[in-house]
């Protein structure tokens, strides 16, 4: 019997985007799948409010995954999904934000496909869309940004070997995921590549959740501002002229929703 026969499954694995935190940002499909899941494999970044939707009867398997602290190696997660699909009709693989944006959802989909397991991808609101909306910072805006680029600030070998000249485009908004630890280097490289040191920047922690906190600075003052505001992970960084709109379009005030989140 080949490994494929052994695991030949009747179940489907749903690679579901949980959005950035606010459960109201789940898609209708994600919400429906979560409430009828047989088993859920979830990441660290999935908010407790989203986890609350899962029926008490469905086992929840934690797959870990913090940027520097991978609890379960990717190969193990891949194998786990294949074996769960052999036993359950509906396996929900729940990921923060969108499964196909810095979420390794595509790696899991490739593995499932190679093993003959049926899968579906349910897009989620990525941190970029969620955080920018809740901060009132549009990612594009006529006259300020003609495009937007998502970038990871953390690479496997921790070398930021990007084409900095190309990234230093004053007309393009840069959204940096996992960029907190390397913020100083990112800002310095962008300035060295020609982006103005006074380019606005916003850093938001736990965006769209009641614990959302943010600070606004410039490329030059970014590290100082983030340190002073004690911004921690998960943190999204928005760089570009649009970040200068922060404050003018604010509509969401998380501090009204929750108190005593400091130790959360
Ligand atoms: N697939 C996810 C991204 C996973 S990478 C998505 O589409 O959003 C994890 C990084 O996403 C974090 O380090 C952080 O940079 C960002 N992130 C995810 N949720 C966030 C949130 N609620 N607030 C701020 N940043 C967040």
């Amino acid at each position: 019997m080949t490994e494929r026969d052994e695991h030949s499954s009747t179940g489907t694995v749903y690679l579901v985007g949980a959005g950035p935190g606010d459960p109201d940002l789940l898609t209708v499909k994600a919400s429906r799948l979560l409430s009828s899941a047989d088993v859920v494999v979830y990441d660290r970044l999935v908010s407790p409010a989203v986890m609350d939707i899962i029926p008490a009867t469905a086992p929840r398997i934690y797959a870990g995954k913090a940027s520097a602290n991978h609890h379960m190696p990717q190969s193990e997660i891949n194998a786990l999904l294949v074996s769960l699909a052999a036993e359950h009709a509906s396996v929900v693989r729940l990921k923060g934000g969108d499964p196909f944006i810095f979420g390794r959802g595509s790696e899991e989909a490739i593995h499932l496909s190679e093993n003959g397991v049926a899968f579906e991808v349910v897009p989620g609101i990525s941190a970029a869309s969620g955080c920018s909306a809740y901060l009132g910072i549009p990612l594009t805006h006529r006259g300020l940004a003609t495009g937007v680029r998502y970038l990871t600030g953390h690479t496997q070998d921790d070398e930021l070997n990007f084409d900095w000249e190309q990234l230093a485009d004053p007309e393009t908004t840069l959204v940096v995921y996992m960029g907190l630890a390397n913020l100083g280097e990112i800002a310095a490289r962008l300035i060295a590549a020609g982006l103005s040191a006074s380019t606005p920047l916003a850093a938001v922690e736990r965006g769209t959740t009641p614990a959302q906190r943010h600070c606004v600075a410039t490329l030059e003052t970014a590290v100082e501002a983030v340190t002073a505001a004690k911004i921690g992970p998960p943190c999204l960084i928005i760089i570009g002229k649009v970040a200068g709109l922060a404050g003018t379009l604010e509509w969401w005030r998380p501090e009204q929703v929750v108190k005593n989140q400091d130790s959360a």
Side-chain angles (χ1 to χ4, degrees):
M1 195 185 244
T2 65
E3 186 164 332
R4 190 172 170 141
D5 293 334
E6 204 178 304
H7 287 299
S8 70
S9 61
T10 47
T12 300
V13 176
Y14 299 95
L15 299 163
V16 175
D22 183 347
D24 280 356
L25 294 181
L26 279 174
T27 62
V28 174
K29 184 167 182 178
S31 180
R32 174 169 60 75
L33 287 168
L34 273 181
S35 29
S36 60
D38 294 321
V39 57
V40 177
V41 181
Y42 68 100
D43 280 349
R44 190 181 66 97
L45 279 181
V46 176
S47 71
V50 169
M51 294 299 294
D52 282 348
I53 296 172
I54 302 167
T57 48
R60 301 150 186 224
I61 303 172
Y62 178 55
K65 202 171 278 179
S67 70
N69 182 16
H70 284 213
H71 289 262
M72 201 188 276
Q74 190 62 48
S75 56
E76 239 173 77
I77 299 174
N78 292 348
L80 174 69
L81 294 176
V82 171
S83 64
L84 287 175
E87 295 159 25
H88 301 279
S90 174
V91 179
V92 170
R93 172 66 175 115
L94 191 59
K95 291 170 166 291
D98 181 276
F100 274 9
I101 295 181
F102 302 129
R104 303 184 79 166
S106 43
E107 291 173 39
E108 292 170 13
I110 289 169
H111 187 81
L112 293 168
S113 158
E114 284 173 355
N115 285 274
V117 176
F119 68 91
E120 289 188 23
V121 182
V122 182
I125 294 199
S126 191
S129 306
C131 296
S132 61
Y134 278 48
L135 276 184
I137 297 178
L139 295 181
T140 67
H141 186 84
R142 199 149 48 96
L144 296 182
T146 53
V148 54
R149 180 152 178 187
Y150 296 171
L151 188 73
T152 172
H154 171 92
T155 54
Q156 229 150 31
D157 53 10
D158 229 13
E159 296 262 331
L160 300 178
N161 288 327
F162 303 134
D163 182 342
W164 293 99
E165 310 267 309
Q166 212 190 65
L167 291 174
D169 170 12
E171 307 306 320
T172 299
T173 304
L174 277 181
V175 179
V176 188
Y177 288 73
M178 298 167 277
L180 197 55
N182 292 324
L183 180 58
E185 182 180 353
I186 292 166
R189 297 262 209 151
L190 287 171
I191 294 170
L195 201 58
S196 165
S198 62
T199 303
L201 174 150
V204 55
E205 172 188 334
R206 289 191 267 184
T208 84
T209 75
Q212 173 177 304
R213 298 169 63 242
H214 78 280
C215 71
V216 181
T218 64
L219 270 185
E220 199 168 29
T221 61
V223 173
E224 198 185 317
V226 160
T227 311
K230 297 197 173 75
I231 300 287
C235 169
L236 191 84
I237 296 157
I238 302 174
I239 302 170
K241 285 182 272 189
V242 290
L245 291 177
T248 59
L249 299 177
E250 229 166 67
W251 58 271
W252 196 61
R253 301 212 181 347
E255 66 273 17
Q256 291 178 358
V257 188
V258 145
K259 296 180 185 90
N260 307 326
Q261 281 285 323
D262 285 355
S263 57

